[in-house]
Amino acid sequence: MNQIEWDDHIAVTDRGDGEFAAELHDGWVVGAGVNGGYLLATIGNALSRVAPGKPDPISVSAYYLSASRPGPATVSTRVVRDGGSIATLAAELTQGGDARITALATYGDLDRVPDDIRTTAKPPVMAPLEECVPSSMAPPEVLANAKLLGRFDMRFDPSCIGWAVGKPSGDGVISAWFRLNGERDPDPIELLMVLDALPPVTFDLGMPGWAPTLELTAHVRAKPAPGWLRVTHRTRNMAGGMFEEDCEVWDSADRLVAQSRQLARQPRP
Amino acid sequence: MNQIEWDDHIAVTDRGDGEFAAELHDGWVVGAGVNGGYLLATIGNALSRVAPGKPDPISVSAYYLSASRPGPATVSTRVVRDGGSIATLAAELTQGGDARITALATYGDLDRVPDDIRTTAKPPVMAPLEECVPSSMAPPEVLANAKLLGRFDMRFDPSCIGWAVGKPSGDGVISAWFRLNGERDPDPIELLMVLDALPPVTFDLGMPGWAPTLELTAHVRAKPAPGWLRVTHRTRNMAGGMFEEDCEVWDSADRLVAQSRQLARQPRP
């Protein structure tokens, strides 16, 4: 059943004492590891059970230590402070004793935040869904190397897909429509994955290749409305062998529901 | 001696086992607490001694748990992973057993990163230093409530200082020139403070008042050149009782040397 594929892949089993067992699915492999967004969502799913009445990620900062592999993993969690409307939490994802990710997070209840909105940011200017380029059109060798592309429907805005035919724009922007398999409607935990699902924005600078994340901080600002998401990646500061990648996720109601910034290593030629 | 004021204020004493003693100086008080950027720099100063050959902050993510007070504090540090050119570190700042801040960080050696620069970001458009408005011109009650303004020379760009006379621009931008007392030249640890030294960007939205930081992630991208820094704060997404504040710090050589994003609570009227 496609409808529950995602929920199955991020499922965790409570082992007590803040420890959760996960099974990293090989459908999320990209290059030499497992997609960092999927890992973040798996950690985020465990953390949603740790502080009573605070099921939603508001801020998650993850430091990536080593590449994860498909198979069993443990998410160890700890409540740093639980008071008032938010809880500060810590988590570590390990595999066979090797630390893969260490993270800090703020959790709360997004149904209980004030409903004022004074956002000045504008939704990304993107071509209609029908005119965008589905990732399923990628060459077979790309699809084989990025199995995660089989997990969702991702359609790139034509204005920033030149890199796919050897003509990157050089602007440092990639935008796409996004929806999980089975038309599963988005939720706050899924957004943690969506923030790191697109190809590295360095593709648009003519630098293909894997760009390992050092650190990624996600802010989930609202529960997303049902339907397609629009995702934009942007970089403005490539220097010292590193670049920042800013991501925005907009929902079908034109609301900026999640933002992230990551610091990643520049791909090696 | 002004020249060493800053170094004195962020000084830490190694107590062994990764623990450092600090003395939070009351010259950094603002409102009901101690400035979050100063606290971040104090933590950052302790972390610079933890991993041999890796003295410089590259990424620091701090989660603020409770307001700090002037006086003794302990910074407990831990090496999460030290390998290759970077180390991942953890730190906690406590006072009398109360946790104030918990943090994760990546440290390295900024003298040893590649010297390629492909930054597309442009320096902020700001009036010349002589035409900007010094924070020392603030009303006496403001200076009394924000003692940190006595620690540095901060000169606001006139285009975004309308809030000081009851006419905020509504753009969500504040820019200023910045230099520590005694014309002390900036370094990577100081940048951790500079990223959170300006008034909350919500002043420019007509919302004066303290905006408590939930989370702040700083990226230090290069060692700053000597001289004045230019600092810009911007927000684009105020919703759900929270806002993001993006900060850029540019050095005298027109280099984007540090970036941060924080998630803060909207000031209460």
Side-chain angles (χ1 to χ4, degrees):
Chain A
M1 270 288 282
N2 266 340
Q3 273 82 348
I4 59 161
E5 174 183 284
W6 167 253
D7 304 275
D8 188 41
H9 291 178
I10 63 164
V12 293
T13 307
D14 192 342
R15 282 193 190 137
D17 290 332
E19 203 174 287
F20 295 83
E23 183 74 27
L24 304 180
H25 197 276
D26 74 354
W28 289 91
V29 164
V30 53
V34 176
N35 171 253
Y38 164 64
L39 298 170
L40 197 65
T42 303
I43 291 171
N45 197 29
L47 288 174
S48 70
R49 302 219 218 148
V50 170
K54 285 142 188 153
D56 299 320
I58 291 175
S59 176
V60 184
S61 298
Y63 282 69
Y64 291 79
L65 307 167
S66 61
S68 297
R69 312 288 173 212
T74 299
V75 182
S76 306
T77 68
R78 182 168 58 89
V79 176
V80 178
R81 185 168 187 270
D82 187 357
S85 59
I86 59 164
T88 305
L89 311 172
E92 195 158 44
L93 187 144
T94 56
Q95 289 191 296
D98 289 332
R100 303 298 192 202
I101 298 172
T102 183
L104 291 170
T106 297
Y107 269 60
D109 183 345
L110 287 171
D111 285 329
R112 300 181 68 151
V113 297
D115 56 4
D116 59 302
I117 302 177
R118 293 177 54 167
T119 298
T120 57
K122 301 289 176 217
V125 177
M126 283 172 61
L129 187 60
E130 314 76 58
E131 296 171 19
C132 289
V133 182
S135 58
S136 54
M137 282 178 61
E141 66 273 19
V142 171
L143 295 176
N145 190 47
K147 290 172 76 173
L148 87 166
L149 295 178
R151 305 280 75 70
F152 42 73
D153 193 347
M154 183 157 68
R155 307 206 194 167
F156 294 101
D157 187 71
S159 72
C160 48
I161 188 71
W163 49 266
V165 291
K167 293 179 183 168
S169 80
D171 294 335
V173 179
I174 298 182
S175 298
W177 294 85
F178 186 96
R179 197 167 198 182
L180 274 176
N181 282 351
E183 303 193 345
R184 185 190 184 282
D185 282 323
D187 61 28
I189 299 294
E190 179 194 327
L191 294 178
L192 298 177
M193 176 273 294
V194 178
L195 288 163
D196 198 26
L198 267 59
V201 69
T202 35
F203 279 30
D204 191 50
L205 296 175
M207 310 175 86
W210 193 40
T213 304
L214 291 173
E215 180 271 335
L216 186 152
T217 294
H219 294 164
V220 177
R221 301 297 301 279
K223 288 198 168 178
W228 285 87
L229 299 168
R230 283 157 297 166
V231 189
T232 298
H233 281 199
R234 187 181 306 273
T235 189
R236 299 166 63 244
N237 192 17
M238 166 160 297
M242 287 173 275
F243 66 100
E244 104 286 21
E245 182 173 270
D246 284 357
C247 181
E248 291 185 358
V249 181
W250 292 77
D251 72 5
S252 62
D254 268 358
R255 185 131 185 223
L256 178 48
V257 290
Q259 291 169 283
S260 69
R261 176 173 290 165
Q262 66 171 281
L263 186 64
R265 284 186 198 271
Q266 192 174 312
R268 302 230 172 97
Chain B
M1 268 290 279
N2 267 339
Q3 272 83 348
I4 58 162
E5 175 184 282
W6 167 252
D7 304 274
D8 188 40
H9 290 179
I10 62 164
V12 293
T13 307
D14 192 340
R15 282 191 190 142
D17 290 331
E19 201 174 288
F20 295 84
E23 184 75 25
L24 303 181
H25 196 276
D26 74 353
W28 289 92
V29 164
V30 53
V34 176
N35 172 252
Y38 164 64
L39 298 170
L40 197 65
T42 303
I43 292 171
N45 197 30
L47 288 174
S48 70
R49 302 218 218 148
V50 170
K54 287 146 188 147
D56 300 319
I58 291 174
S59 177
V60 184
S61 298
Y63 282 69
Y64 291 79
L65 307 167
S66 61
S68 296
R69 314 287 173 212
T74 300
V75 182
S76 306
T77 68
R78 181 168 59 89
V79 177
V80 178
R81 185 168 187 270
D82 187 356
S85 59
I86 60 164
T88 305
L89 311 172
E92 194 159 45
L93 188 144
T94 57
Q95 289 191 296
D98 289 330
R100 302 300 193 201
I101 298 173
T102 183
L104 291 171
T106 297
Y107 269 61
D109 184 344
L110 287 170
D111 285 331
R112 300 182 69 155
V113 298
D115 56 5
D116 59 302
I117 302 177
R118 293 178 53 169
T119 298
T120 56
K122 301 289 175 217
V125 177
M126 284 172 60
L129 187 59
E130 314 76 58
E131 297 171 19
C132 289
V133 182
S135 57
S136 56
M137 281 177 62
E141 67 274 18
V142 171
L143 294 175
N145 189 48
K147 291 173 77 174
L148 84 166
L149 295 176
R151 304 280 75 72
F152 42 75
D153 194 348
M154 183 158 66
R155 307 205 194 169
F156 294 100
D157 187 70
S159 71
C160 48
I161 189 71
W163 49 266
V165 290
K167 293 179 184 170
S169 80
D171 293 336
V173 179
I174 298 182
S175 298
W177 294 85
F178 186 98
R179 196 168 200 182
L180 275 175
N181 282 351
E183 303 193 347
R184 185 190 184 282
D185 282 322
D187 61 28
I189 299 293
E190 179 195 326
L191 294 179
L192 298 178
M193 176 271 293
V194 178
L195 288 164
D196 197 26
L198 267 59
V201 69
T202 35
F203 279 29
D204 191 49
L205 295 176
M207 310 176 85
W210 193 40
T213 304
L214 291 173
E215 179 272 335
L216 187 152
T217 294
H219 294 163
V220 178
R221 301 297 301 279
K223 288 198 168 178
W228 285 87
L229 298 169
R230 283 158 297 167
V231 188
T232 297
H233 280 199
R234 187 182 305 274
T235 188
R236 299 167 63 244
N237 193 17
M238 166 159 297
M242 288 174 273
F243 66 101
E244 104 286 21
E245 182 172 88
D246 285 355
C247 181
E248 290 184 359
V249 182
W250 292 77
D251 72 4
S252 63
D254 267 357
R255 183 128 187 226
L256 178 47
V257 290
Q259 291 168 284
S260 69
R261 175 174 290 164
Q262 65 171 281
L263 186 66
R265 284 185 198 271
Q266 192 175 311
R268 301 232 171 97

